[in-house]
């Protein structure tokens, strides 16, 4: 079975309340970890914007498991982000769709594989 995901369905943004008013290692709590949002994913980035200088940051840990439950993401900021900032997809949902599309065959048993992700062109 092939898992088909659309990148646009996985773009997300939240407004956590953790203090990012100084640059450095941070942990933010998300009210819901959208599918594809994972604290355990290597090379997974989120985008911090809204206040301060926007930046993409590498997620280095956290409890988010892409299961729509509350969780945390850990990362290190280079810039300050006063209250009112937003954290969201750094890829418009593409990376999250790639994570969510993975599947493990069960007959025969196999290792984790990529599913199919459709990236819809942007209309400007």
């Amino acid at each position: 079975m092939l898992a088909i995901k659309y990148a646009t369905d996985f773009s997300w943004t939240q407004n956590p309340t953790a203090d990012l008013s100084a640059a450095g290692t941070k942990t933010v709590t998300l009210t819901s970890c959208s599918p594809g949002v994972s604290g355990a994913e290597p090379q997974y980035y989120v985008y911090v914007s809204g206040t301060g200088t926007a930046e993409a940051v590498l997620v280095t840990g956290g409890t988010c498991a892409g299961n729509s439950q509350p969780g945390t993401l850990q990362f290190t900021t280079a810039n300050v982000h006063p209250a009112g900032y937003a954290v969201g997809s750094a890829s418009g949902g593409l990376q999250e769709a790639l994570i969510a599309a993975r599947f493990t065959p069960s007959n025969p048993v196999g290792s984790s594989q990529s599913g199919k992700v459709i990236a819809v062109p942007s209309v400007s």
Side-chain angles (χ1 to χ4, degrees):
M1 184 171 121
L2 187 61
I4 300 173
K5 307 291 182 191
Y6 290 86
T8 52
D9 294 339
F10 291 85
S11 187
W12 64 278
T13 302
Q14 287 191 32
N15 298 93
T17 58
D19 183 5
L20 302 186
S21 62
T25 303
K26 305 296 177 184
T27 299
V28 298
T29 299
L30 302 181
T31 56
S32 174
C33 297
S34 300
V37 177
S38 173
E41 183 68 26
Q43 297 303 308
Y44 176 58
Y45 286 80
V46 294
Y47 195 64
V48 184
S49 62
T51 62
T53 302
E55 62 183 311
V57 294
L58 175 65
V59 173
T60 56
T63 62
C64 274
N67 57 4
S68 299
Q69 297 297 311
T72 61
L73 292 176
Q74 299 169 340
F75 49 79
T76 301
T77 60
N79 302 316
V80 299
H81 302 280
Y85 65 89
V87 175
S89 175
S91 64
L94 183 58
Q95 181 67 33
E96 291 83 356
L98 289 166
I99 294 166
R102 286 188 199 136
F103 66 98
T104 302
S106 59
N107 187 14
V109 175
S111 56
S112 178
Q113 300 179 23
S114 297
K116 182 176 183 178
V117 174
I118 298 173
V120 179
S122 173
V123 179
S124 303

